[in-house]
Amino acid sequence: MSRQGQDRERRGSFWRDNSLTLAFGGAFLIVLLGQALAGHAEFNEELTVDGLQRISLGQYVTTSDFAVDVTENWQSEFLQFSLYIFGTVWLVQRGSPESKELHKIGTESDREQRVGDHATQDSPRWAASKDWRQGVYARSLGLVMGGVFLLSWAAQSITGMAAYDEQQLRRLQAPVGWGDYVVTPDFWNRTLQNWQSELLAVAAMVILSVYLRQRGSPESKPVGAAHTSTGVEG
């Protein structure tokens, strides 16, 4: 095969091999832009009603109003995945592909996890170590997801406070500090309305996948698998 043909094949393989991440990453950017446009229009409507000057899109995306709307969604999504990652270590659902097999409850043995002496040549380097690196790497996904959740929740509280204080000033009322804001109904309403939807989505996915199928999806069992088959992916 010619050099150009090999380059084309590598480029084609890259797009194919990373299509899931690229597709959802691209969709995220499109939707984020759409949110910015819609939020900008709504924000300017509010300014007009209050008799204030309208702002540009560039100015809007640097406002606390836009930032809090973004971060409150991010924190709930990362909470969902953090809870699911940690919860599925010990919790199971008979018949769901979203659950591990019933007899594998817990952190499993070193042999099953292929760590330490049971690591293979293809195993990540830290998985083969026998010191603190193995312990950190063995929990790295949950730690990172949990860390991003906490950071985005903190960002939501700060940007939410700024947006709340802007509203307070427009009403000629005194602004509040961060400590006062995080106990307001505004903060917890923003937080809990996202948490409940994420938890409902996870619970629905876990139980519906026991009885329903999607051919070809790893989130579903094979179409002909028994309802009681657990931890089996299509």
Side-chain angles (χ1 to χ4, degrees):
M1 182 182 294
S2 67
R3 178 72 175 273
Q4 289 181 334
Q6 291 176 337
D7 290 342
R8 282 196 297 271
E9 184 176 351
R10 279 196 293 268
R11 286 195 295 270
S13 296
F14 172 81
W15 289 100
R16 180 201 64 203
D17 294 349
N18 299 280
S19 58
L20 189 59
T21 299
L22 292 171
F24 277 89
F28 160 74
L29 294 176
I30 293 171
V31 173
L32 184 63
L33 175 60
Q35 179 187 349
L37 294 172
H40 174 239
E42 181 184 17
F43 191 74
N44 274 335
E45 287 180 2
E46 294 176 357
L47 291 178
T48 301
V49 170
D50 293 339
L52 301 174
Q53 184 177 358
R54 297 165 68 89
I55 64 174
S56 68
L57 177 63
Q59 291 173 314
Y60 171 70
V61 296
T62 61
T63 64
S64 57
D65 189 85
F66 177 69
V68 70
D69 286 343
V70 171
T71 54
E72 75 177 60
N73 285 290
W74 288 7
Q75 60 88 3
S76 64
E77 295 294 338
F78 282 100
L79 172 68
Q80 174 195 143
F81 284 111
S82 299
L83 291 178
Y84 194 70
I85 289 167
F86 287 114
T88 50
V89 175
W90 298 99
L91 304 177
V92 295
Q93 173 59 56
R94 179 183 293 276
S96 177
E98 298 296 315
S99 166
K100 64 165 68 177
E101 295 177 49
L102 303 181
H103 66 278
K104 291 185 176 180
I105 291 177
T107 55
E108 303 179 16
S109 67
D110 287 355
R111 179 183 297 276
E112 291 173 312
Q113 288 292 311
R114 288 178 286 181
V115 297
D117 293 332
H118 303 286
T120 65
Q121 291 182 342
D122 295 333
S123 297
R125 183 180 302 175
W126 281 28
S129 67
K130 299 180 180 179
D131 51 26
W132 61 269
R133 293 174 296 172
Q134 183 194 121
V136 171
Y137 189 70
R139 297 162 180 82
S140 55
L141 181 60
L143 291 173
V144 169
M145 286 291 190
V148 175
F149 158 67
L150 293 175
L151 289 174
S152 56
W153 196 22
Q156 178 203 332
S157 70
I158 295 170
T159 55
M161 178 194 68
Y164 184 80
D165 282 348
E166 286 181 7
Q167 293 290 336
Q168 290 288 93
L169 292 172
R170 289 183 197 173
R171 298 167 184 162
L172 302 180
Q173 296 176 343
V176 301
W178 181 83
D180 292 326
Y181 174 70
V182 295
V183 296
T184 61
D186 181 84
F187 175 71
W188 284 104
N189 179 52
R190 287 179 175 274
T191 295
L192 295 175
Q193 68 179 328
N194 285 282
W195 287 7
Q196 55 87 13
S197 63
E198 300 301 336
L199 295 173
L200 174 63
V202 171
M205 183 62 183
V206 169
I207 193 62
L208 290 178
S209 61
V210 175
Y211 304 103
L212 306 179
R213 309 286 189 269
Q214 179 59 55
R215 186 167 184 161
S217 175
E219 298 303 312
S220 167
K221 293 185 286 190
V223 178
H227 291 328
T228 54
S229 298
T230 306
V232 178
E233 297 178 347

